[in-house]
Amino acid sequence: MALRSKRGTGMGPAFPEIAAGAAQLPDAIALDGELVVWEEGRLAFERLQNRLQRRGAEAAGAADERRPTS
């Protein structure tokens, strides 16, 4: 399963937690959607743009920062 932008750019390295979840889906499945960051009652597009610049351990750390705690 590949995580790509509408222009075909690979986004898996910036969103490893989403890529890992998508890897659990059957090969014959295709999903179409949009990633958004919702913060303080509004869309925070700049946070999504900032996340796209992260790769590897930095992206994984960003995913942990945003994960809700129980």
PDB file of all heavy atoms in Angstrom, residues 32-52:
ATOM      1  N   ASP A  32      -9.320   6.796  -0.884  1.00  0.00           N
ATOM      2  CA  ASP A  32      -9.113   8.168  -1.322  1.00  0.00           C
ATOM      3  C   ASP A  32      -9.575   9.064  -0.186  1.00  0.00           C
ATOM      4  O   ASP A  32     -10.671   8.882   0.335  1.00  0.00           O
ATOM      5  CB  ASP A  32      -9.914   8.439  -2.597  1.00  0.00           C
ATOM      6  CG  ASP A  32      -9.714   9.842  -3.125  1.00  0.00           C
ATOM      7  OD1 ASP A  32      -8.671  10.463  -2.810  1.00  0.00           O
ATOM      8  OD2 ASP A  32     -10.590  10.326  -3.856  1.00  0.00           O
ATOM      9  N   GLY A  33      -8.738   9.980   0.215  1.00  0.00           N
ATOM     10  CA  GLY A  33      -9.120  10.852   1.310  1.00  0.00           C
ATOM     11  C   GLY A  33      -8.181  12.024   1.427  1.00  0.00           C
ATOM     12  O   GLY A  33      -7.370  12.290   0.538  1.00  0.00           O
ATOM     13  N   GLU A  34      -8.302  12.719   2.521  1.00  0.00           N
ATOM     14  CA  GLU A  34      -7.479  13.902   2.756  1.00  0.00           C
ATOM     15  C   GLU A  34      -7.022  13.898   4.198  1.00  0.00           C
ATOM     16  O   GLU A  34      -7.799  13.623   5.111  1.00  0.00           O
ATOM     17  CB  GLU A  34      -8.310  15.153   2.480  1.00  0.00           C
ATOM     18  CG  GLU A  34      -7.539  16.425   2.608  1.00  0.00           C
ATOM     19  CD  GLU A  34      -8.333  17.638   2.134  1.00  0.00           C
ATOM     20  OE1 GLU A  34      -9.428  17.480   1.591  1.00  0.00           O
ATOM     21  OE2 GLU A  34      -7.823  18.755   2.322  1.00  0.00           O
ATOM     22  N   LEU A  35      -5.747  14.206   4.411  1.00  0.00           N
ATOM     23  CA  LEU A  35      -5.221  14.352   5.756  1.00  0.00           C
ATOM     24  C   LEU A  35      -5.414  15.795   6.198  1.00  0.00           C
ATOM     25  O   LEU A  35      -5.127  16.725   5.444  1.00  0.00           O
ATOM     26  CB  LEU A  35      -3.725  14.027   5.797  1.00  0.00           C
ATOM     27  CG  LEU A  35      -3.328  12.600   5.496  1.00  0.00           C
ATOM     28  CD1 LEU A  35      -1.806  12.484   5.464  1.00  0.00           C
ATOM     29  CD2 LEU A  35      -3.903  11.659   6.518  1.00  0.00           C
ATOM     30  N   VAL A  36      -5.908  15.978   7.401  1.00  0.00           N
ATOM     31  CA  VAL A  36      -6.056  17.319   7.959  1.00  0.00           C
ATOM     32  C   VAL A  36      -5.578  17.300   9.403  1.00  0.00           C
ATOM     33  O   VAL A  36      -5.541  16.254  10.047  1.00  0.00           O
ATOM     34  CB  VAL A  36      -7.515  17.840   7.903  1.00  0.00           C
ATOM     35  CG1 VAL A  36      -8.003  17.950   6.478  1.00  0.00           C
ATOM     36  CG2 VAL A  36      -8.435  16.974   8.729  1.00  0.00           C
ATOM     37  N   VAL A  37      -5.211  18.447   9.903  1.00  0.00           N
ATOM     38  CA  VAL A  37      -4.905  18.620  11.317  1.00  0.00           C
ATOM     39  C   VAL A  37      -5.972  19.550  11.879  1.00  0.00           C
ATOM     40  O   VAL A  37      -6.163  20.658  11.383  1.00  0.00           O
ATOM     41  CB  VAL A  37      -3.499  19.230  11.526  1.00  0.00           C
ATOM     42  CG1 VAL A  37      -3.248  19.493  13.005  1.00  0.00           C
ATOM     43  CG2 VAL A  37      -2.432  18.308  10.951  1.00  0.00           C
ATOM     44  N   TRP A  38      -6.696  19.055  12.875  1.00  0.00           N
ATOM     45  CA  TRP A  38      -7.758  19.829  13.512  1.00  0.00           C
ATOM     46  C   TRP A  38      -7.215  20.280  14.861  1.00  0.00           C
ATOM     47  O   TRP A  38      -6.799  19.476  15.680  1.00  0.00           O
ATOM     48  CB  TRP A  38      -8.990  18.953  13.696  1.00  0.00           C
ATOM     49  CG  TRP A  38     -10.182  19.685  14.194  1.00  0.00           C
ATOM     50  CD1 TRP A  38     -10.666  19.678  15.467  1.00  0.00           C
ATOM     51  CD2 TRP A  38     -11.048  20.535  13.439  1.00  0.00           C
ATOM     52  NE1 TRP A  38     -11.775  20.469  15.549  1.00  0.00           N
ATOM     53  CE2 TRP A  38     -12.031  21.007  14.320  1.00  0.00           C
ATOM     54  CE3 TRP A  38     -11.075  20.940  12.118  1.00  0.00           C
ATOM     55  CZ2 TRP A  38     -13.045  21.863  13.921  1.00  0.00           C
ATOM     56  CZ3 TRP A  38     -12.079  21.790  11.711  1.00  0.00           C
ATOM     57  CH2 TRP A  38     -13.054  22.243  12.608  1.00  0.00           C
ATOM     58  N   GLU A  39      -7.205  21.585  15.079  1.00  0.00           N
ATOM     59  CA  GLU A  39      -6.626  22.116  16.308  1.00  0.00           C
ATOM     60  C   GLU A  39      -7.413  23.325  16.779  1.00  0.00           C
ATOM     61  O   GLU A  39      -7.645  24.259  15.998  1.00  0.00           O
ATOM     62  CB  GLU A  39      -5.172  22.502  16.033  1.00  0.00           C
ATOM     63  CG  GLU A  39      -4.399  22.920  17.253  1.00  0.00           C
ATOM     64  CD  GLU A  39      -2.946  23.128  16.915  1.00  0.00           C
ATOM     65  OE1 GLU A  39      -2.627  24.114  16.226  1.00  0.00           O
ATOM     66  OE2 GLU A  39      -2.147  22.285  17.324  1.00  0.00           O
ATOM     67  N   GLU A  40      -7.830  23.271  18.022  1.00  0.00           N
ATOM     68  CA  GLU A  40      -8.547  24.389  18.638  1.00  0.00           C
ATOM     69  C   GLU A  40      -9.734  24.855  17.800  1.00  0.00           C
ATOM     70  O   GLU A  40      -9.925  26.054  17.568  1.00  0.00           O
ATOM     71  CB  GLU A  40      -7.587  25.537  18.928  1.00  0.00           C
ATOM     72  CG  GLU A  40      -6.509  25.153  19.913  1.00  0.00           C
ATOM     73  CD  GLU A  40      -5.514  26.269  20.190  1.00  0.00           C
ATOM     74  OE1 GLU A  40      -5.785  27.432  19.808  1.00  0.00           O
ATOM     75  OE2 GLU A  40      -4.471  25.958  20.765  1.00  0.00           O
ATOM     76  N   GLY A  41     -10.505  23.895  17.293  1.00  0.00           N
ATOM     77  CA  GLY A  41     -11.726  24.210  16.570  1.00  0.00           C
ATOM     78  C   GLY A  41     -11.557  24.680  15.142  1.00  0.00           C
ATOM     79  O   GLY A  41     -12.480  25.228  14.561  1.00  0.00           O
ATOM     80  N   ARG A  42     -10.357  24.487  14.571  1.00  0.00           N
ATOM     81  CA  ARG A  42     -10.150  24.902  13.179  1.00  0.00           C
ATOM     82  C   ARG A  42      -9.137  23.982  12.509  1.00  0.00           C
ATOM     83  O   ARG A  42      -8.401  23.265  13.162  1.00  0.00           O
ATOM     84  CB  ARG A  42      -9.655  26.344  13.105  1.00  0.00           C
ATOM     85  CG  ARG A  42      -8.268  26.530  13.691  1.00  0.00           C
ATOM     86  CD  ARG A  42      -7.766  27.957  13.513  1.00  0.00           C
ATOM     87  NE  ARG A  42      -6.397  28.070  13.963  1.00  0.00           N
ATOM     88  CZ  ARG A  42      -5.326  27.790  13.239  1.00  0.00           C
ATOM     89  NH1 ARG A  42      -5.448  27.381  12.002  1.00  0.00           N
ATOM     90  NH2 ARG A  42      -4.116  27.926  13.731  1.00  0.00           N
ATOM     91  N   LEU A  43      -9.104  24.038  11.186  1.00  0.00           N
ATOM     92  CA  LEU A  43      -8.092  23.305  10.435  1.00  0.00           C
ATOM     93  C   LEU A  43      -6.771  24.051  10.557  1.00  0.00           C
ATOM     94  O   LEU A  43      -6.734  25.274  10.408  1.00  0.00           O
ATOM     95  CB  LEU A  43      -8.487  23.184   8.964  1.00  0.00           C
ATOM     96  CG  LEU A  43      -9.727  22.343   8.690  1.00  0.00           C
ATOM     97  CD1 LEU A  43     -10.071  22.398   7.206  1.00  0.00           C
ATOM     98  CD2 LEU A  43      -9.506  20.914   9.131  1.00  0.00           C
ATOM     99  N   ALA A  44      -5.706  23.310  10.836  1.00  0.00           N
ATOM    100  CA  ALA A  44      -4.382  23.911  10.995  1.00  0.00           C
ATOM    101  C   ALA A  44      -3.494  23.421   9.843  1.00  0.00           C
ATOM    102  O   ALA A  44      -2.669  22.533  10.004  1.00  0.00           O
ATOM    103  CB  ALA A  44      -3.799  23.544  12.355  1.00  0.00           C
ATOM    104  N   PHE A  45      -3.702  24.027   8.676  1.00  0.00           N
ATOM    105  CA  PHE A  45      -2.986  23.598   7.478  1.00  0.00           C
ATOM    106  C   PHE A  45      -1.477  23.752   7.636  1.00  0.00           C
ATOM    107  O   PHE A  45      -0.705  22.922   7.156  1.00  0.00           O
ATOM    108  CB  PHE A  45      -3.480  24.382   6.262  1.00  0.00           C
ATOM    109  CG  PHE A  45      -2.898  23.896   4.969  1.00  0.00           C
ATOM    110  CD1 PHE A  45      -3.246  22.654   4.459  1.00  0.00           C
ATOM    111  CD2 PHE A  45      -1.980  24.659   4.275  1.00  0.00           C
ATOM    112  CE1 PHE A  45      -2.699  22.191   3.276  1.00  0.00           C
ATOM    113  CE2 PHE A  45      -1.430  24.209   3.080  1.00  0.00           C
ATOM    114  CZ  PHE A  45      -1.792  22.967   2.583  1.00  0.00           C
ATOM    115  N   GLU A  46      -1.039  24.800   8.347  1.00  0.00           N
ATOM    116  CA  GLU A  46       0.396  25.010   8.527  1.00  0.00           C
ATOM    117  C   GLU A  46       1.041  23.867   9.312  1.00  0.00           C
ATOM    118  O   GLU A  46       2.191  23.521   9.065  1.00  0.00           O
ATOM    119  CB  GLU A  46       0.679  26.360   9.191  1.00  0.00           C
ATOM    120  CG  GLU A  46       0.200  26.487  10.634  1.00  0.00           C
ATOM    121  CD  GLU A  46      -1.291  26.762  10.800  1.00  0.00           C
ATOM    122  OE1 GLU A  46      -2.010  26.957   9.802  1.00  0.00           O
ATOM    123  OE2 GLU A  46      -1.745  26.776  11.956  1.00  0.00           O
ATOM    124  N   ARG A  47       0.314  23.248  10.229  1.00  0.00           N
ATOM    125  CA  ARG A  47       0.866  22.096  10.969  1.00  0.00           C
ATOM    126  C   ARG A  47       1.036  20.901  10.044  1.00  0.00           C
ATOM    127  O   ARG A  47       1.988  20.145  10.156  1.00  0.00           O
ATOM    128  CB  ARG A  47      -0.012  21.753  12.161  1.00  0.00           C
ATOM    129  CG  ARG A  47       0.131  22.802  13.263  1.00  0.00           C
ATOM    130  CD  ARG A  47      -0.565  22.371  14.521  1.00  0.00           C
ATOM    131  NE  ARG A  47      -0.043  21.116  15.011  1.00  0.00           N
ATOM    132  CZ  ARG A  47       0.823  20.981  16.007  1.00  0.00           C
ATOM    133  NH1 ARG A  47       1.287  22.051  16.610  1.00  0.00           N
ATOM    134  NH2 ARG A  47       1.211  19.802  16.410  1.00  0.00           N
ATOM    135  N   LEU A  48       0.112  20.718   9.112  1.00  0.00           N
ATOM    136  CA  LEU A  48       0.242  19.641   8.137  1.00  0.00           C
ATOM    137  C   LEU A  48       1.457  19.907   7.243  1.00  0.00           C
ATOM    138  O   LEU A  48       2.259  19.012   6.976  1.00  0.00           O
ATOM    139  CB  LEU A  48      -1.026  19.516   7.292  1.00  0.00           C
ATOM    140  CG  LEU A  48      -1.029  18.412   6.249  1.00  0.00           C
ATOM    141  CD1 LEU A  48      -0.908  17.043   6.909  1.00  0.00           C
ATOM    142  CD2 LEU A  48      -2.270  18.477   5.409  1.00  0.00           C
ATOM    143  N   GLN A  49       1.627  21.125   6.803  1.00  0.00           N
ATOM    144  CA  GLN A  49       2.785  21.469   5.978  1.00  0.00           C
ATOM    145  C   GLN A  49       4.089  21.220   6.732  1.00  0.00           C
ATOM    146  O   GLN A  49       5.045  20.696   6.163  1.00  0.00           O
ATOM    147  CB  GLN A  49       2.719  22.929   5.541  1.00  0.00           C
ATOM    148  CG  GLN A  49       1.670  23.183   4.496  1.00  0.00           C
ATOM    149  CD  GLN A  49       1.621  24.640   4.102  1.00  0.00           C
ATOM    150  OE1 GLN A  49       1.639  25.535   4.955  1.00  0.00           O
ATOM    151  NE2 GLN A  49       1.574  24.885   2.813  1.00  0.00           N
ATOM    152  N   ASN A  50       4.134  21.583   8.003  1.00  0.00           N
ATOM    153  CA  ASN A  50       5.335  21.346   8.811  1.00  0.00           C
ATOM    154  C   ASN A  50       5.631  19.854   8.936  1.00  0.00           C
ATOM    155  O   ASN A  50       6.779  19.435   8.867  1.00  0.00           O
ATOM    156  CB  ASN A  50       5.185  21.962  10.199  1.00  0.00           C
ATOM    157  CG  ASN A  50       5.209  23.463  10.173  1.00  0.00           C
ATOM    158  OD1 ASN A  50       5.692  24.076   9.235  1.00  0.00           O
ATOM    159  ND2 ASN A  50       4.664  24.079  11.205  1.00  0.00           N
ATOM    160  N   ARG A  51       4.603  19.072   9.102  1.00  0.00           N
ATOM    161  CA  ARG A  51       4.777  17.622   9.237  1.00  0.00           C
ATOM    162  C   ARG A  51       5.326  17.019   7.948  1.00  0.00           C
ATOM    163  O   ARG A  51       6.118  16.078   7.980  1.00  0.00           O
ATOM    164  CB  ARG A  51       3.444  16.986   9.613  1.00  0.00           C
ATOM    165  CG  ARG A  51       3.447  15.498   9.771  1.00  0.00           C
ATOM    166  CD  ARG A  51       4.306  15.043  10.955  1.00  0.00           C
ATOM    167  NE  ARG A  51       4.355  13.604  10.988  1.00  0.00           N
ATOM    168  CZ  ARG A  51       3.473  12.828  11.596  1.00  0.00           C
ATOM    169  NH1 ARG A  51       2.478  13.357  12.267  1.00  0.00           N
ATOM    170  NH2 ARG A  51       3.594  11.529  11.546  1.00  0.00           N
ATOM    171  N   LEU A  52       4.927  17.534   6.807  1.00  0.00           N
ATOM    172  CA  LEU A  52       5.406  17.007   5.524  1.00  0.00           C
ATOM    173  C   LEU A  52       6.913  17.171   5.361  1.00  0.00           C
ATOM    174  O   LEU A  52       7.521  16.461   4.562  1.00  0.00           O
ATOM    175  CB  LEU A  52       4.674  17.694   4.368  1.00  0.00           C
ATOM    176  CG  LEU A  52       3.229  17.263   4.188  1.00  0.00           C
ATOM    177  CD1 LEU A  52       2.520  18.193   3.222  1.00  0.00           C
ATOM    178  CD2 LEU A  52       3.155  15.840   3.706  1.00  0.00           C
TER     179      LEU A  52
END
